[in-house]
Amino acid sequence: MLRIYGYAGSINVRKVLWACAELDLAFEPEDWGGSHRSISEPLFRALNPVAMVPVIDDAGTIVWESNAIIRYLAASRDRYDLLPGDPAARARVEMWMDWQVSDFNNSWRVAFQGLVQKNPEHQDPAEIERSIAAFSRMVAIVDGELAKSGGFICGPDFTLADIPIGLSVHRWRSLPGEKPQFDHIELYYDRLCERAGFREHGRDGGA
């Protein structure tokens, strides 16, 4: 059986949990990271040399890095609706996934650490304000794409790209304080809430 190493409070682990829901995959969770077993232990480093969650073991195939994991799961189960076989269509999905894990993620890191996680190392108001502004710019990009895409980030149908993008949108909506209003983001969020995997691992899974 598929085994998932990580903890459900991690946004990157929640990508994998949501993907499993979309794929109707049974799995065995094993808690590592956060307040659970240390990812510095040799047992975990043997699975992932960079010592980060999540990691999966799929009948002996070990994969780490959240976006790589969900790509692997969709591809190995021939879910072309989520990850197209056509190279151009697949590249469109992967562009948004890679952008989420780079520019989008980096924009909200300071604001989330300071305002939600109350990390004492991220309490500079000016830095938090800059992070919120950067986050707002990224969300505006998503809103603009949704205005012309037909419902989801890559078009009228849900794809694998909506998992990382959707979780970042959820984080945006969870961030306290005043933020710009984005009408297409709100409609997108409502569509995501129609999916059981997002309701469990996005909306109700944590910030």
Side-chain angles (χ1 to χ4, degrees), residues 17-18 21-22 191-204:
L17 299 177
W18 182 3
E22 296 290 343
R191 292 184 198 100
L192 295 179
C193 285
E194 295 173 1
R195 311 187 77 85
F198 177 73
R199 290 197 300 272
E200 182 176 358
H201 304 297
R203 185 191 67 185
D204 301 331

Side-chain angles (χ1 to χ4, degrees), residues 4-21 27 29-34 36 39 44 52-56 65-67 69-70 73 163 167 171 201-202 205:
I4 301 174
Y5 301 84
Y7 65 102
S10 161
I11 189 173
N12 288 325
V13 174
R14 295 203 304 274
K15 291 181 190 178
V16 179
L17 299 177
W18 182 3
C20 285
F27 61 87
E30 189 167 313
D31 289 334
W32 289 84
H36 304 283
I39 54 179
F44 189 84
M52 295 178 68
V53 295
V55 179
I56 65 164
E65 281 295 320
S66 57
N67 283 356
I69 290 171
I70 64 175
L73 291 174
I163 292 178
L167 288 172
R171 181 151 287 184
H201 304 297

Side-chain angles (χ1 to χ4, degrees), residues 96-132:
W96 284 106
M97 294 176 70
D98 290 347
W99 178 77
Q100 183 272 344
V101 83
S102 56
D103 291 9
F104 207 177
N105 262 9
N106 287 328
S107 73
W108 49 252
R109 197 174 309 279
V110 171
F112 179 75
Q113 287 284 331
L115 298 175
V116 178
Q117 294 196 333
K118 308 297 184 183
N119 186 330
E121 296 182 2
H122 295 285
Q123 293 302 316
D124 184 322
E127 289 188 2
I128 291 174
E129 185 176 348
R130 283 193 291 271
S131 180
I132 293 173

Side-chain angles (χ1 to χ4, degrees), residues 18 142-143 146 151-152 162 165-174 182-195 198-199 201-207:
W18 182 3
V142 176
D143 187 76
L146 292 169
F152 293 96
D162 291 294
I165 294 293
L167 288 172
S168 284
V169 165
H170 173 67
R171 181 151 287 184
W172 160 258
R173 295 180 83 258
S174 302
F182 295 108
D183 292 341
H184 296 288
I185 289 289
E186 293 305 310
L187 292 171
Y188 178 59
Y189 194 82
D190 289 343
R191 292 184 198 100
L192 295 179
C193 285
E194 295 173 1
R195 311 187 77 85
F198 177 73
R199 290 197 300 272
H201 304 297
R203 185 191 67 185
D204 301 331

